[in-house]
Amino acid sequence: MTVTPEGQPPRHEPHPNHDRGLEFDLSTLMSRRSLGMFLGAGTAAALAACTPGGSSSAPSGSPSSASAGSTASASPTVTRAIAECGVEIPQETAGPYPGDGSNGPNVLEASGVVRQDITSSFGTSATKTDGVPLTVTLTLLDNANGCVPLAGAAVYAWHCDKQGRYSLYDSGLENENFLRGVQEADANGQVTFKTVYPGAYNGRWPHIHFEVFESMNNATAAGQVLAVSQIALTDAACREVYASTGYETSARNFPNTTLRSDNVFGEDGGIYQLATMSGSVAAGYTAGLNVTI
């Protein structure tokens, strides 16, 4: 049985701070956030990317945002086409296993946390976690300035392993810090992490946590956070990955929580946090999300 810190929720049970209010209908949300603007982009891809359980890929070099104010000259193949750049990424709690100093250990002050490949621990351990390869790219957009890229911002990303366990917190992993890392956004406001596909545990839809900081200095000093949110992975990709060897526990847990019943994504079905994904178990997956701040 896993031992959790005193006063913290049981292992992998939904953290009470995840509950951000009563659920409300998707139709109500859409009208409030301007359905006309959502459809104005004129691309079916944007709607497909926002459909819970769907997956799609954008052509290489496609715009990272529908906003005319964006100056990004390139984007990764799977960057999600958000038509309504004015809709900011929903804010979430960092959760019970952040490793950012807000609830226990602080990995952000450790030398080596700034890295693109987060599959291994760093520092005193070189333990490498395995799983289906996953490349995650976030494109940060500045809503207050016409959705221009947030070049120079920093992102801290973390998630569980294929068995649903978090480094720094779960029993036997207290001295590991794999699946955690920081990257600085390039001129296009983009950060990319090389990782493995997260597992599914009861009470949550498969996801990746991230925090956005104004600068690398703020990130590595655990300074002021611009945004805290989560990436929702697609139904199709999860089903394919969890049918593969090594994800047997996730295959059992995955059917128990839907996007609509998830206590983070359930308010709107995750439409603003659902990644655009492509790939296969054999070749690995890519996931992309535009993050408007």
Side-chain angles (χ1 to χ4, degrees):
M1 178 177 180
T2 299
V3 178
T4 57
E6 183 178 357
Q8 297 303 323
R11 176 180 179 271
H12 300 332
E13 291 299 315
H15 192 274
N17 288 341
H18 278 311
D19 186 357
R20 296 184 294 119
L22 299 175
E23 293 189 2
F24 50 93
D25 291 338
L26 177 59
S27 58
T28 301
L29 178 74
M30 293 300 292
S31 62
R32 189 193 315 169
R33 296 183 177 179
S34 181
L35 180 59
M37 181 170 57
F38 182 82
L39 297 175
T43 62
L47 291 175
C50 293
T51 302
S55 64
S56 62
S57 60
S60 179
S62 60
S64 60
S65 167
S67 169
S70 176
T71 60
S73 60
S75 66
T77 301
V78 295
T79 297
R80 180 182 178 192
I82 295 181
E84 72 297 359
C85 182
V87 176
E88 297 181 359
I89 192 77
Q91 296 282 338
E92 313 289 1
T93 177
Y97 312 110
D100 62 358
S102 62
N103 176 21
N106 188 354
V107 74
L108 295 176
E109 295 180 346
S111 176
V113 71
V114 180
R115 67 228 183 100
Q116 185 178 78
D117 188 334
I118 62 174
T119 56
S120 298
S121 287
F122 59 92
T124 59
S125 173
T127 301
K128 185 178 179 68
T129 188
D130 62 348
V132 173
L134 174 65
T135 299
V136 179
T137 298
L138 299 180
T139 302
L140 311 179
L141 305 171
D142 185 352
N143 188 36
N145 292 296
C147 288
V148 296
L150 272 172
V155 173
Y156 167 44
W158 73 97
H159 63 83
C160 68
D161 66 8
K162 66 181 181 182
Q163 299 179 53
R165 306 174 304 170
Y166 284 86
S167 66
L168 298 176
Y169 292 89
D170 271 298
S171 179
L173 301 181
E174 296 92 339
N175 296 320
E176 304 292 350
N177 49 34
F178 52 67
L179 304 181
R180 299 176 183 276
V182 173
Q183 280 284 289
E184 183 177 30
D186 63 16
N188 296 305
Q190 294 178 328
V191 297
T192 297
F193 293 93
K194 303 288 185 180
T195 186
V196 296
Y197 207 97
Y201 53 86
N202 283 322
R204 285 305 318 276
W205 181 265
H207 60 282
I208 297 172
H209 297 264
F210 66 92
E211 295 177 341
V212 182
F213 298 84
E214 184 178 9
S215 68
M216 186 68 79
N217 286 339
N218 277 352
T220 54
Q224 185 174 2
V225 183
L226 296 179
V228 182
S229 196
Q230 299 177 27
I231 307 168
L233 304 178
T234 64
D235 179 84
C238 288
R239 290 180 184 275
E240 293 167 358
V241 172
Y242 298 157
S244 66
T245 302
Y247 285 90
E248 290 81 8
T249 300
S250 295
R252 293 191 295 270
N253 293 335
F254 180 60
N256 299 333
T257 307
T258 66
L259 268 171
R260 293 297 301 184
S261 67
D262 183 81
N263 60 1
V264 170
F265 304 126
E267 289 187 347
D268 56 13
I271 62 171
Y272 301 109
Q273 294 156 285
L274 188 66
T276 297
M277 300 191 66
S278 64
S280 66
V281 170
Y285 285 83
T286 54
L289 183 69
N290 281 5
V291 178
T292 303
I293 299 171

